[in-house]
């Protein structure tokens, strides 16, 4: 059985959980507590020497990085394809995914924010995070404007949605971002709340989520 | 900077015009320039991101999206190996660079850190993030590297590593002693025309001194 090393609140883990659900793939959930630094534990490093979460174990092969994991799953388990066949629409999916994974998420993860708070000031952490999320969201609204349907790039769920859902979850539920200027993204957030594959992947439903 | 370049598609012998919107020093543009060079061609963007590629009436930005678009539309030479595991390693390496390293040392961020915390902090910040990512890459590629990052042929990982190594070594003067594999790759790239012709200082918008 596939094993997924995941942290309940990790945006990157959340993306992979959605992908596994969409493809109907069963997996064993192995919790790695990032706040406690378990990603640096000898046990985890033995499995994944680079210490990154999420990590997928498929037999004797370990792959980490949410994008690499999803592309691996896409090729090995092609049911419910995560990418459209149309070249342009596929490109839009890659763009949206990378907007999130390179231009937004790295600026709201714990280590970076802590550093900013330390070196610049306690309030700067929030400003830093919000600035980057807003910039990214402005870009996403423009990018998806001509392609969105029921979901980000049409009427079917694709890769862009797997990256957007966790990012929107974080922006709305954790950071309480004002979404008034992002009507398309808000609509997508609501659409995802109706899909079981997405809802079963939400942080609070994971085995390692705190009970209160 | 708008570069309009002519390409010859070898088997079909016709000219394709691609426009690449690029910034000479941008690591992400650098990756795409290597990709375009490798595919034997040199060849706007409402969201305002660089690089952006214009192909006819279609604009695609984000270096990864551009490279995957080129990969599918112009399959030679392939930027990804056919072996699933080796392909995964390429995606991992690319993403370590594009999510864990490059965003944190790009111009805007580095300027912000310098403004708010000072020039020394800026250097520490950049070197810390690059160093962390490089440590991960050394481990990731250890069992896969050959002449290049994931074997004896150039693949996607190399397109991401080359510009990042260029920045680390030339811009941030990172001490590469603990990264022997990456240093060796950096030297290997210096011998490849596709990589060298994509280097920042060779671009039309590079400063003359």
């Amino acid at each position: 059985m596939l094993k997924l090393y995941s942290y309940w609140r990790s945006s990157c883990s959340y993306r992979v959980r959605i992908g596994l659900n969409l493809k109907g793939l069963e997996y064993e959930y192995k919790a790695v507590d990032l706040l406690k630094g378990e990603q640096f534990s000898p046990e985890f490093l033995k499995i994944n020497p680079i210490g990154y979460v999420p990590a997928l174990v498929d037999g004797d092969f370990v792959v980490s990085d949410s994008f690499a994991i999803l592309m691996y799953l896409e090729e090995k388990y092609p049911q419910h394809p995560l990418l459209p066949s149309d070249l342009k629409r596929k490109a839009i999916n890659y763009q949206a995914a990378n907007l999130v994974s390179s231009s937004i998420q790295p600026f709201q993860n714990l280590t970076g924010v802590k550093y900013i708070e330390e070196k610049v000031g306690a309030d700067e952490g929030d400003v830093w995070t919000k600035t980057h999320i807003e910039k990214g969201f402005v870009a996403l609204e423009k990018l998806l404007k001509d392609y969105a349907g029921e979901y980000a790039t049409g009427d079917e769920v694709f890769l862009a949605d797997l990256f957007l859902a966790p990012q929107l979850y974080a922006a709305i539920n954790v950071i309480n971002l004002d979404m008034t200027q992002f009507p398309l993204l808000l609509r997508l957030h609501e659409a995802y709340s109706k899909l079981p594959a997405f809802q079963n992947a939400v942080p609070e439903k994971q085995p390692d989520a705190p009970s209160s």
Side-chain angles (χ1 to χ4, degrees), chain A:
Chain A
M1 184 181 278
L2 295 172
K3 282 193 209 150
L4 180 70
Y5 287 81
S6 155
Y7 179 58
W8 68 288
R9 223 180 198 188
S10 148
S11 200
C12 309
S13 303
Y14 188 170
R15 297 168 194 158
V16 175
R17 297 192 298 253
I18 300 173
L20 289 163
N21 291 349
L22 282 170
K23 290 183 176 286
L25 295 168
E26 273 187 50
Y27 62 97
E28 192 185 336
Y29 189 100
K30 308 283 276 182
V32 182
D33 192 333
L34 298 181
L35 283 184
K36 290 195 179 143
E38 282 177 6
Q39 69 275 36
F40 305 119
S41 71
E43 297 81 27
F44 184 65
L45 288 176
K46 224 171 127 205
I47 291 161
N48 186 20
I50 69 176
Y52 284 22
V53 168
L56 185 85
V57 180
D58 187 5
D60 60 352
F61 185 56
V62 181
V63 49
S64 68
D65 180 80
S66 57
F67 186 83
I69 296 172
L70 289 168
M71 290 295 99
Y72 175 84
L73 291 174
E74 178 68 349
E75 195 163 330
K76 197 164 178 193
Y77 309 100
Q79 65 272 26
H80 197 302
L82 299 177
L83 289 161
S85 43
D86 171 65
L87 188 54
K88 292 179 183 180
R89 208 165 285 269
K90 194 184 287 195
I92 299 298
N93 271 278
Y94 286 137
Q95 280 183 79
N98 272 283
L99 247 160
V100 173
S101 72
S102 301
S103 301
I104 308 179
Q105 194 277 337
F107 298 101
Q108 57 159 68
N109 83 25
L110 223 52
T111 328
V113 170
K114 261 182 162 159
Y115 180 97
I116 295 283
E117 283 176 349
E118 237 172 84
K119 301 285 180 177
V120 184
D123 296 328
E124 276 305 311
D126 274 344
V127 174
W128 166 268
T129 304
K130 282 193 163 150
T131 304
H132 288 285
I133 296 181
E134 278 167 357
K135 255 183 100 185
F137 279 11
V138 167
L140 284 163
E141 285 276 330
K142 290 193 186 133
L143 177 72
L144 301 173
K145 184 165 64 74
D146 299 329
Y147 288 90
E150 233 188 294
Y151 305 107
T153 61
D155 292 333
E156 290 171 70
V157 166
F158 287 121
L159 192 76
D161 300 293
L162 275 65
F163 278 73
L164 288 174
Q167 186 58 66
L168 289 165
Y169 173 95
I172 292 168
N173 297 323
V174 180
I175 290 155
N176 301 308
L177 194 76
D178 176 3
M179 294 292 291
T180 342
Q181 13 157 8
F182 312 120
L184 169 56
L185 295 176
L186 193 54
R187 175 167 79 64
L188 293 176
H189 177 68
E190 282 150 17
Y192 302 144
S193 70
K194 304 194 172 76
L195 295 173
F198 284 67
Q199 285 316 297
N200 292 334
V202 298
E204 57 271 22
K205 287 198 177 173
Q206 303 318 303
D208 54 336
S211 33
S212 62

